[in-house]
Amino acid sequence: MPRAGLRRLRSPRVWGPGGAVVVAGAITAAALAAGAGPDAAATADGLPHTTVEVSPGDCGRGWRHPRPGTQVFDLRNTSSGAAEVYLRGADGGPVYGEVEGIGPGTTRQLRVRLGPGAYAFTCLPDDANATTGPTVRVAGSGAAGPAAAPLTQHDLIAPALDYQKWVAGGLDDLVHRTDALRAALTAGDLPAARTAWLPAHLAYERLGAAYGAFGDADEKINGTTAGLPGGVHDPGFTGFHRVEYGLWHGESAAGLRAPAGALADAVRALRDDWAQARVDPAALGLRAHEILENTAQFELTGRTDYGSGSNLATARANLDGTRAVLARLHPLLTTRYPELPSLERELTRTERLLDGFHRDGGWQPLGDLTRPDRERTNAAVGDLVERLASVATLCDPRRTV
């Protein structure tokens, strides 16, 4: 499937139910139960508001009347540069909420639910060291909202290196399978080429979190006709989908030898160059989310079907790719994401759902699904995309200095 270089909008953010991140102000105030103190402004949302200063010298100043419950902090940047802000448990405790990109002279809102305990704001100006404001103690009763211990880039290095080794093994398998595809077309055996195409393509799709490190090779290997003026006849249409189109639209083996050869050569070059490539540790959690986000956008809409009818097989391979990333992140998530067991159960349930479309040695085309099956599939993948958004956020490295 095409990789669109999707970027998450990260601010303002708070930890929502189950560790999910919710845009501040997007939740209704129906369940509100907190009285306003002397420093709380009257607001349309019915929540107590507290104005807090964001600056290297006065980080957190203004929080004079701490209270438990759901509330909004109006973060006012009085410095001359942009800044990021965390609300954490005191003494380097877990993060309860954060806002990025607060420009100078700008006020942004952070909505959180606080319980009894000690808290402090940490201000992280661009191009300057972090500063932590005074510790504020909240009395009363009630439970605090979800929080998570922050991860640093250093925490993610070992998972990224392990994943990179796993990808190297996958590329060896991919080379073997694309060579088999090329050999079938060289021999003029179109049925064998059709049989070889799907296992080769799925081997590539399982490497989903590595596409950011593949660079231009991804477009050569798995590009589509998107943006090509000549469509399927454009010279820039190459790779798996170019061969797929020819195999299922009556092209001759002789006509497909060159595209299959170029595909196999591109795969081999990627494998040979992989030792010098680097998976970005900071992007690992985000990639876990993007794999299935792209699955929902491209595979479950049929936008990448060039004749093989294999979108559901690709979606199933994308689940394998997601599993591979989560396996490397598992030690970091077990203490940070309480919904991890539920996520893994839903992954298993969705795998079984998709496996049910693999019958008699073939995969049911997306267009042949009944409406209930289509709805179940879309709902299952959509649910996973939402859950994996929390993984992306929890694995987003945070500055500590």
Side-chain angles (χ1 to χ4, degrees):
M1 67 187 139
R3 313 297 165 196
L6 301 175
R7 300 177 63 88
R8 261 181 315 122
L9 298 178
R10 298 185 53 219
S11 56
R13 304 190 297 175
V14 295
W15 303 111
V21 172
V22 181
V23 176
I27 309 175
T28 64
L32 196 67
D39 58 347
T43 58
D45 59 18
L47 294 170
H49 281 234
T50 301
T51 299
V52 171
E53 186 168 337
V54 177
S55 69
D58 291 301
C59 181
R61 189 177 71 174
W63 192 5
R64 298 185 299 272
H65 301 283
R67 62 179 65 79
T70 304
Q71 55 199 281
V72 175
F73 291 98
D74 296 309
L75 305 175
R76 184 177 62 199
N77 186 354
T78 59
S79 70
S80 60
E84 180 177 356
V85 176
Y86 302 157
L87 176 59
R88 302 182 62 174
D91 300 320
V95 176
Y96 287 85
E98 62 182 295
V99 178
E100 282 193 336
I102 308 176
T106 300
T107 298
R108 302 280 294 279
Q109 292 186 342
L110 173 65
R111 177 176 176 164
V112 292
R113 186 175 76 247
L114 301 181
Y119 303 88
F121 280 99
T122 297
C123 301
L124 303 99
D126 288 357
D127 303 319
N129 290 335
T131 59
T132 299
T135 296
V136 174
R137 300 190 181 279
V138 174
S141 61
L151 283 170
T152 66
Q153 180 124 343
H154 179 77
D155 295 324
L156 292 161
I157 290 175
L161 290 175
D162 187 47
Y163 182 74
Q164 187 154 338
K165 292 177 183 177
W166 180 81
V167 170
L171 289 172
D172 286 338
D173 179 57
L174 180 62
V175 166
H176 172 74
R177 294 183 183 279
T178 52
D179 282 348
L181 173 61
R182 172 164 54 183
L185 288 169
T186 299
D189 192 340
L190 286 170
R194 293 188 193 99
T195 299
W197 181 87
L198 183 58
H201 186 233
L202 298 185
Y204 186 76
E205 289 286 342
R206 291 188 181 98
L207 307 178
Y211 293 132
F214 287 171
D216 293 341
D218 179 52
E219 187 65 26
K220 295 178 182 178
I221 293 170
N222 209 36
T224 68
T225 55
L228 299 180
V232 294
H233 303 296
D234 195 288
F237 183 34
T238 62
F240 276 112
H241 293 301
R242 168 64 185 92
V243 176
E244 176 190 10
Y245 178 81
L247 286 173
W248 277 273
H249 286 85
E251 290 191 36
S252 67
L256 287 173
R257 285 172 191 161
L263 168 62
D265 289 344
V267 165
R268 188 173 292 274
L270 176 62
R271 192 273 311 271
D272 294 345
D273 292 343
W274 184 244
Q276 284 74 47
R278 291 293 179 267
V279 172
D280 181 5
L284 202 56
L286 177 59
R287 300 301 180 204
H289 174 248
E290 285 183 338
I291 293 171
L292 290 189
E293 189 174 46
N294 283 342
T295 301
Q297 184 178 1
F298 298 108
E299 303 307 331
L300 298 188
T301 59
R303 291 168 63 183
T304 54
D305 181 12
Y306 287 87
S308 67
S310 61
N311 286 119
L312 292 170
T314 301
R316 182 61 178 84
N318 294 158
L319 288 175
D320 290 338
T322 301
R323 285 274 195 192
V325 183
L326 288 177
R328 275 76 195 171
L329 295 174
H330 193 277
L332 300 174
L333 292 173
T334 50
T335 57
R336 291 174 171 85
Y337 185 37
E339 295 299 314
L340 182 60
S342 178
L343 167 60
E344 292 175 333
R345 285 194 299 271
E346 290 306 306
L347 272 170
T348 299
R349 186 176 73 86
T350 307
E351 287 167 351
R352 290 172 179 167
L353 173 64
L354 292 178
D355 286 342
F357 304 129
H358 187 207
R359 302 165 183 165
D360 302 322
W363 285 86
Q364 191 171 351
L366 186 67
D368 290 351
L369 292 187
T370 64
R371 181 171 180 174
D373 282 343
R374 188 73 171 261
E375 290 174 348
R376 279 192 291 271
T377 302
N378 289 341
V381 173
D383 176 70
L384 289 174
V385 170
E386 290 187 10
R387 294 173 184 270
L388 287 162
S390 297
V391 171
T393 299
L394 290 166
C395 293
D396 190 7
R398 286 163 174 82
R399 286 176 54 193
T400 57
V401 294

